Amino acid sequence: MAYNIVSVANNGGAPEQSYKNLQAAGACDTKPFSEMFKFEVPSLMVGTLDSLMNLSDELGRTDAIVESVVRKIEKTHQELSLLTKRTDTALTVGGVPPTRYIQQFAWDYAKYPNRRPLKELVQLISGGVAAVDEELKQLGTGYAEKVASLSDAMRRKNGNLLVTDLNNVLKPQDMSKVTVHDTDYLVTVFVAVPKVLQDNFVKEVKAGNLGGEIAGYGGPDWSRNGSDLGRAINYGKDVDRKAKSGSPIVPDTLRLVKEDDDSVLYAVTILKGQIEPGTVEGGQFVAGSSVDFVEEFVKCCKEKRFVVRDFKYDPTQASKSAMQMEQMQVEVEGMKTGLTRWCRTHYGEAFVAWMHIKVIRVFVESVLRYGLPVDFTAVLYKAARNKESDLIASLDNAFGKNDDTGDDEDKEDYHEFVLLTFDP
């Protein structure tokens, strides 16, 4: 549904005559190309022609920016309406549909005083719309983050053992199969394995190949070579712990905890780490550094598509998670309702600003086209379906077509009247 704002010079004649000419050109019985409505353009401050020319370029950009904000609000509201499956929450402008507001447009003198300089007026309008745009971004981002958190929580709740919150699926009878260690030297880890890799995992653990390069078991064998006890060559930095390496998994600790259609969950106890040999420097003993086996074991499992779950069993966590999920759903619904209400409230504000920018554009373009003193008449055409080109051609015939030589494309875009086309 295209609308066209058209202004023509009165050339010293009565505005009523210009109105009749515009009606005869495209909205009469012989030329039924559109509906025509009176379009109020207030008496605005002109300033200098130079300032108007500069403002003309700026207005085109401002018009596009304000329209983009209107479209963002429309899109957000539409997406929210689809989620709620409600069709009775159409956006309005001042309580009426946008099309009716356009057709009955009246300048808001209280909000946008017409005796302010045009540049200030444009800045006032664009500043208000920029604030609306920023608020929409913040609300939209907050809502999107909350929805993403809820989706992630739902995924973890309903997912397989590779992703789900284990406290939601493991029962006391499942945990009774496992002796959980968390000491200075040992820790029990839970490993989720896709079922297609289950046999591989079990074989690697039992053969001692999983993480086979992580733990260092090398060093002086004092039990067999007691005569070398105390010799510098056999301890400290000269000892190569990695001369003999192996898996940190404690033998015979693998336990099957739970399984579902896609995956299985095992518990296995591993060494937490080891201390590298210390050294004596300047007569002082310097302790060796600590090596973390858990981090290396997690990395090794990941390379083989086994997932070490970050998990500590808490029998009360399932009920806590359910309450958190319910609270999150309430928050999402609240934010959705609030954002929908915000769209309905601020859509009208942005749309009103958009129409006022268009009126200023018509005023500026008309003054630049027809000169001073200000003397023109503007109307609004609502083109009939597939009749917009007929309307423009009829207006060209009625008010003259530019016949100057020049680029054909420029000729097609030029008319002897001011024309502003938009689709609300």
Side-chain angles (χ1 to χ4, degrees):
M1 183 194 307
Y3 281 92
N4 299 275
I5 304 173
V6 173
S7 81
V8 296
N10 292 328
N11 294 322
E16 291 77 9
Q17 186 57 49
S18 296
Y19 182 83
K20 289 179 181 178
N21 293 339
L22 287 162
Q23 189 173 39
C28 63
D29 292 340
T30 57
K31 297 175 181 177
F33 306 132
S34 66
E35 291 181 69
M36 192 180 84
F37 306 89
K38 289 185 177 180
F39 195 73
E40 177 194 356
V41 178
S43 175
L44 302 173
M45 294 188 67
V46 175
T48 64
L49 290 178
D50 283 345
S51 66
L52 287 182
M53 291 180 69
N54 293 331
L55 188 59
S56 176
D57 294 334
E58 182 182 334
L59 278 168
R61 294 189 293 271
T62 303
D63 191 342
I65 292 170
V66 175
E67 180 181 4
S68 71
V69 176
V70 171
R71 301 306 182 205
K72 286 178 190 175
I73 298 174
E74 287 176 344
K75 182 180 178 183
T76 301
H77 183 266
Q78 183 181 22
E79 291 172 349
L80 293 172
S81 297
L82 290 173
L83 289 173
T84 56
K85 297 181 180 178
R86 292 188 61 181
T87 58
D88 59 340
T89 57
L91 293 171
T92 61
V93 182
V96 299
T99 52
R100 186 184 301 177
Y101 170 77
I102 294 170
Q103 293 162 194
Q104 299 174 349
F105 175 78
W107 184 271
D108 189 341
Y109 291 90
K111 191 171 186 179
Y112 306 118
N114 64 311
R115 301 319 296 167
R116 293 185 68 168
L118 281 177
K119 190 171 182 63
E120 288 185 19
L121 200 54
V122 172
Q123 289 174 344
L124 172 66
I125 296 172
S126 59
V129 174
V132 169
D133 187 31
E134 182 60 32
E135 191 173 354
L136 176 59
K137 286 178 183 176
Q138 292 178 359
L139 290 173
T141 300
Y143 174 69
E145 289 175 351
K146 185 65 71 174
V147 169
S149 297
L150 177 60
S151 298
D152 184 58
M154 293 291 289
R155 180 182 65 85
R156 284 186 279 108
K157 178 183 178 182
N158 301 321
N160 58 29
L161 294 168
L162 297 167
V163 296
T164 191
D165 186 340
L166 295 179
N167 276 309
N168 290 334
V169 296
L170 294 183
K171 308 301 180 187
Q173 56 266 34
D174 298 318
M175 295 302 297
S176 66
K177 307 172 188 176
V178 184
T179 302
V180 178
H181 299 276
D182 190 3
T183 67
D184 290 343
Y185 305 105
L186 300 175
V187 63
T188 300
V189 296
F190 291 79
V191 185
V193 181
K195 272 200 169 176
V196 293
L197 300 176
Q198 183 178 6
D199 291 343
N200 259 6
F201 174 76
V202 173
K203 286 177 185 176
E204 289 215 24
V205 171
K206 290 185 174 180
N209 295 329
L210 186 60
E213 302 296 323
I214 293 176
Y217 296 110
D221 188 356
W222 291 334
S223 63
R224 296 183 182 179
N225 194 7
S227 61
D228 288 337
L229 182 63
R231 291 190 181 184
I233 192 71
N234 288 327
Y235 68 90
K237 63 182 180 180
D238 295 310
V239 172
D240 181 10
R241 279 281 181 91
K242 286 300 182 77
K244 183 177 181 181
S245 59
S247 173
I249 295 175
V250 178
D252 200 30
T253 59
L254 182 67
R255 298 289 183 273
L256 175 62
V257 183
K258 199 173 187 68
E259 61 181 307
D260 58 27
D261 293 339
D262 305 312
S263 52
V264 289
L265 183 70
Y266 283 96
V268 64
T269 301
I270 65 172
L271 298 173
K272 264 190 175 179
Q274 68 182 131
I275 305 296
E276 294 289 352
T279 60
V280 176
E281 297 179 7
Q284 297 292 324
F285 176 74
V286 180
S289 60
S290 175
V291 179
D292 182 8
F293 286 170
V294 178
E295 185 177 342
E296 290 298 316
F297 185 74
V298 170
K299 190 184 300 182
C300 176
C301 286
K302 186 176 180 181
E303 290 172 355
K304 297 177 180 291
R305 294 172 56 202
F306 310 144
V307 181
V308 177
R309 302 299 311 275
D310 184 8
F311 165 69
K312 288 189 181 298
Y313 181 63
D314 180 356
T316 67
Q317 187 60 39
S319 59
K320 292 178 184 177
S321 297
M323 290 177 62
Q324 289 172 353
M325 178 79 71
E326 186 176 343
Q327 178 63 28
M328 200 176 297
Q329 288 173 331
V330 170
E331 290 176 0
V332 167
E333 286 301 316
M335 293 182 74
K336 185 194 302 178
T337 302
L339 186 53
T340 301
R341 189 183 302 116
W342 184 94
C343 287
R344 291 204 299 269
T345 302
H346 289 79
Y347 176 76
E349 181 181 346
F351 200 95
V352 167
W354 187 34
M355 284 305 300
H356 281 71
I357 286 291
K358 291 197 175 296
V359 172
I360 296 173
R361 285 189 71 186
V362 171
F363 178 83
V364 169
E365 295 299 329
S366 297
V367 172
L368 290 174
R369 177 72 64 88
Y370 308 131
L372 295 172
V374 177
D375 185 27
F376 64 88
T377 297
V379 297
L380 175 74
Y381 289 108
K382 179 185 176 183
R385 183 183 296 274
N386 300 324
K387 293 294 183 181
E388 186 178 354
S389 58
D390 293 332
L391 171 64
I392 303 303
S394 181
L395 289 169
D396 281 328
N397 290 333
F399 296 101
K401 179 73 175 173
N402 179 46
D403 295 324
D404 294 343
T405 58
D407 187 85
D408 289 340
E409 187 174 341
D410 291 338
K411 283 185 181 182
E412 290 179 5
D413 293 337
Y414 182 85
H415 307 278
E416 289 294 336
F417 47 88
V418 172
L419 172 66
L420 201 61
T421 301
F422 67 101
D423 192 355

